[in-house]
């Protein structure tokens, strides 16, 4: 069959609204999680992290929520701005293999 | 700190040619990672080093790909011979988990086009 490109899911939000980006992680033993932002033409950049002994962490305009029961991670962006348009990746770290495992990525598109 | 430095930023080469991508990690970081990003497969880990020693190269696509880290401040990823399907953005990243922060710092990437 014909190969198709990796179509990332897209979240479209109005400028000024709050955004919620969700991620399901795979390993219940993961003990550290990071959200990365990748703008066009750049490498992924750190946004915020959270350890497994926490369920919420806040940064500047961003909040990460962790639900270990259902292995779910979310990134909330308050008052979304055009500069927030990017691909967002969640990543999980498991001490056993000493490396991050990245999710597929979600595209955030901000409408002016 | 200048961050992770990759060169070149863009590389266009003909099929069959040898390509060498370079990376300078952040000083003091003891882990170095090479990733490839394409629309087809997303972000793929190719190989990573700890203290200049390759730890896991299971992501290297085939024998045409090789990576070295001769010292703590320099690594190369070589493709010989290159093929059009190698066209992608290649990222280098480094980390120092002993600080308690397990995240990676990525370079700006090398966009490789093989024609």
């Amino acid at each position: 069959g014909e190969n198709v490109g990796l179509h990332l899911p897209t979240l479209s939000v109005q400028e000024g609204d709050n955004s919620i980006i969700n991620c399901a992680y795979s390993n219940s033993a993961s003990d550290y999680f990071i959200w990365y932002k990748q703008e066009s033409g750049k490498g992924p950049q750190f946004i915020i992290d959270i350890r497994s002994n926490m369920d919420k962490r806040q940064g500047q305009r961003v909040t990460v929520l962790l639900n270990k029961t259902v292995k779910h991670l979310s990134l909330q962006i308050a008052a979304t701005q055009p500069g927030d348009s990017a691909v967002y990746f969640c990543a999980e770290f498991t001490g056993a293999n000493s490396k991050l495992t990245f999710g597929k990525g979600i595209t955030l598109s901000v409408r002016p | 700190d200048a961050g992770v430095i990759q060169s070149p930023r863009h590389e266009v080469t003909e099929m069959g040619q040898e390509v060498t991508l370079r990376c300078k990690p952040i000083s003091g970081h003891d882990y170095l990672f090479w990733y490839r990003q394409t629309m087809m497969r997303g972000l793929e880990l190719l190989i990573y080093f700890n203290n200049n020693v390759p730890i896991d190269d299971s992501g290297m696509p085939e024998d045409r790909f090789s990576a070295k880290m001769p010292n703590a401040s320099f690594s190369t990823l070589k493709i010989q011979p290159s093929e059009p399907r190698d066209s992608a953005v290649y990222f280098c990243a480094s980390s120092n988990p002993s600080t308690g922060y397990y995240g990676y710092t990525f370079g700006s990437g090398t966009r490789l086009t093989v024609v």
Side-chain angles (χ1 to χ4, degrees):
Chain A
E2 182 182 17
N3 287 327
V4 295
L6 181 66
H7 297 288
L8 296 177
T10 299
L11 174 65
S12 180
V13 299
Q14 189 73 37
E15 181 180 356
D17 288 352
N18 296 334
S19 302
I20 300 176
I21 303 172
N22 296 305
C23 173
Y25 63 91
S26 59
N27 191 338
S28 58
S30 293
D31 51 11
Y32 181 77
F33 305 87
I34 304 176
W35 279 101
Y36 281 90
K37 172 186 180 183
Q38 186 177 19
E39 297 175 276
S40 181
K42 298 183 179 179
Q45 295 177 296
F46 169 88
I47 302 173
I48 191 167
D49 58 359
I50 188 168
R51 298 187 185 279
S52 59
N53 61 354
M54 304 171 68
D55 53 22
K56 180 179 181 179
R57 188 160 190 230
Q58 288 185 292
Q60 187 177 14
R61 278 201 312 117
V62 295
T63 300
V64 56
L65 299 177
L66 175 63
N67 185 331
K68 295 183 288 294
T69 302
V70 295
K71 293 191 290 185
H72 184 267
L73 195 67
S74 69
L75 178 71
Q76 300 178 358
I77 304 174
T80 312
Q81 302 170 359
D84 296 325
S85 293
V87 177
Y88 290 80
F89 294 93
C90 64
E92 59 186 296
F93 181 88
T94 309
N97 59 21
S98 299
K99 62 182 181 181
L100 287 175
T101 301
F102 286 84
K104 294 293 186 186
I106 298 169
T107 300
L108 176 65
S109 175
V110 182
R111 303 188 303 272
Chain B
D1 196 320
V4 175
I5 300 173
Q6 292 186 246
S7 65
R9 284 300 311 274
H10 302 276
E11 176 81 39
V12 180
T13 191
E14 292 185 346
M15 182 174 62
Q17 296 298 306
E18 177 180 294
V19 176
T20 300
L21 312 182
R22 298 173 175 79
C23 176
K24 176 179 168 55
I26 290 175
S27 177
H29 281 195
D30 54 355
Y31 280 82
L32 184 140
F33 306 83
W34 281 102
Y35 280 86
R36 177 172 69 177
Q37 188 174 42
T38 62
M39 286 298 294
M40 292 287 288
R41 296 189 177 87
L43 200 59
E44 299 175 275
L45 176 64
L46 301 177
I47 186 172
Y48 76 97
F49 296 82
N50 178 218
N51 291 323
N52 314 337
V53 176
I55 302 300
D56 183 354
D57 65 353
S58 59
M60 296 286 263
E62 47 199 275
D63 292 344
R64 297 185 298 106
F65 285 69
S66 62
K68 294 182 180 179
M69 193 165 184
N71 57 63
S73 60
F74 184 65
S75 177
T76 59
L77 177 68
K78 186 178 292 186
I79 308 173
Q80 166 64 17
S82 57
E83 297 182 2
R85 60 193 169 119
D86 302 330
S87 297
V89 181
Y90 291 81
F91 288 104
C92 176
S94 68
S95 72
N96 183 4
S98 63
T99 63
Y101 170 65
Y102 300 106
Y104 305 167
T105 302
F106 284 81
S108 298
T110 295
R111 180 173 294 277
L112 174 65
T113 303
V114 183
V115 298

